[in-house]
Amino acid sequence: MSDNPLTEEQVKQLNEIASLPQEQQQEKLPAFLKTLSPEQLEFLKKQQGQGGCPFCLIVEGKLQSKTIYQDDKVLAVLDIRPATAGHVLVLPKKHCSVMGQMNDEEVAHIFMIANKLASLLFETLQAEGTNIFVANGQTAGQTVDHVLVHVIPRFKDDGLQLTWTGQEVEDAKLEDLKNKLSGKIGVKEQVVEEAPVIEEKEEKAEERFPDF
Ligand SMILES: [Zn+2]
């Protein structure tokens, strides 16, 4: 880059710092920044705005990670601050802030991989359950500006709280919400006409569920 005001030596130093674990980065970065001119600092700030995303740096191989899987679209790494041991993050290689920015194919692929990883966690870590979780937006608990699909293995008494108490809601409110939302997701509904139910089957169902 010809308009890069940093010297080659400074770029090298910066890359070395970026490859360190986060704690060491925080230790070494301030001292390095003090050696820069205001112009150089301004340049770095701009760079950060565009490419300072830690997960993009991981994708580019500029930050270390414990990679579990990768292809041309996604990368799966171990979370270095896991909710439980074996917590995996699946992320798109292309920078996207929220899942709504990904196309249908990318979304389908990332969830396919997340699902395979969940099965792997069952098999290899003897997980008793898994949570597949996405936080879209800060209000939803998103802390990094890059889509992450969390695949969290669950173990009995692991102490992790991902539960909520269902609220009381009136039927009119549900009806109102239904009217606001139904038929509006922008996907053509395709419901295959069901074959007429054979009476015999109905009787059998009643036998199995006498309370109905
Ligand atoms: Zn990113």
Side-chain angles (χ1 to χ4, degrees):
M1 271 189 288
S2 56
D3 57 348
N4 186 344
L6 298 175
T7 66
E8 240 176 73
E9 181 56 31
Q10 284 171 324
V11 172
K12 201 178 141 204
Q13 273 178 284
L14 195 59
N15 281 335
E16 274 167 17
I17 294 171
S19 69
L20 295 171
Q22 204 169 7
E23 276 177 23
Q24 288 179 41
Q25 279 189 44
Q26 281 167 359
E27 264 175 40
K28 299 208 167 175
L29 199 57
F32 172 75
L33 293 177
K34 275 183 196 159
T35 68
L36 300 180
S37 70
E39 187 207 8
Q40 288 173 329
L41 274 175
E42 195 56 35
F43 171 80
L44 267 189
K45 260 191 215 163
K46 271 192 197 158
Q47 284 262 304
Q48 280 230 308
Q50 292 160 1
C53 169
F55 286 97
C56 284
L57 291 175
I58 286 175
V59 168
E60 290 163 22
K62 290 177 182 165
L63 278 181
Q64 284 182 342
S65 65
K66 304 278 185 215
T67 303
I68 306 292
Y69 169 83
Q70 65 173 318
D71 57 36
D72 56 343
K73 292 194 191 73
V74 302
L75 179 67
V77 298
L78 282 177
D79 194 319
I80 55 168
R81 290 174 54 83
T84 64
H87 180 170
V88 178
L89 304 171
V90 196
L91 51 123
K93 283 194 165 175
K94 188 179 82 181
H95 180 86
C96 291
S97 297
V98 290
M99 198 160 246
Q101 295 171 345
M102 294 169 67
N103 68 37
D104 293 349
E105 193 194 337
E106 291 163 345
V107 172
H109 185 70
I110 204 167
F111 272 103
M112 184 273 283
I113 295 299
N115 190 37
K116 300 263 186 211
L117 284 163
S119 299
L120 181 70
L121 297 175
F122 268 109
E123 287 161 19
T124 55
L125 303 184
Q126 283 77 49
E128 291 154 85
T130 54
N131 284 109
I132 298 179
F133 173 79
V134 179
N136 276 319
Q138 276 183 11
T139 309
Q142 186 174 11
T143 54
V144 190
D145 185 42
H146 191 122
V147 171
L148 298 176
V149 178
H150 297 260
V151 185
I152 305 170
R154 299 304 304 271
F155 306 92
K156 194 167 179 283
D157 304 323
D158 62 21
L160 183 57
Q161 295 289 334
L162 281 175
T163 56
W164 57 85
T165 309
Q167 300 175 19
E168 295 289 331
V169 61
E170 286 178 8
D171 187 65
K173 176 72 179 166
L174 286 178
E175 189 64 22
D176 180 45
L177 287 167
K178 188 202 85 174
N179 290 336
K180 278 186 180 138
L181 301 171
S182 62
K184 293 187 182 135
I185 66 167
V187 179
K188 191 168 176 282
E189 293 189 26
Q190 288 177 316
V191 180
V192 178
E193 284 285 320
E194 277 182 46
V197 181
I198 301 162
E199 267 185 32
E200 224 181 57
K201 269 192 180 172
E202 261 185 357
E203 278 166 23
K204 274 183 188 164
E206 274 171 51
E207 278 168 28
R208 273 192 285 132
F209 304 108
D211 290 341
F212 294 165

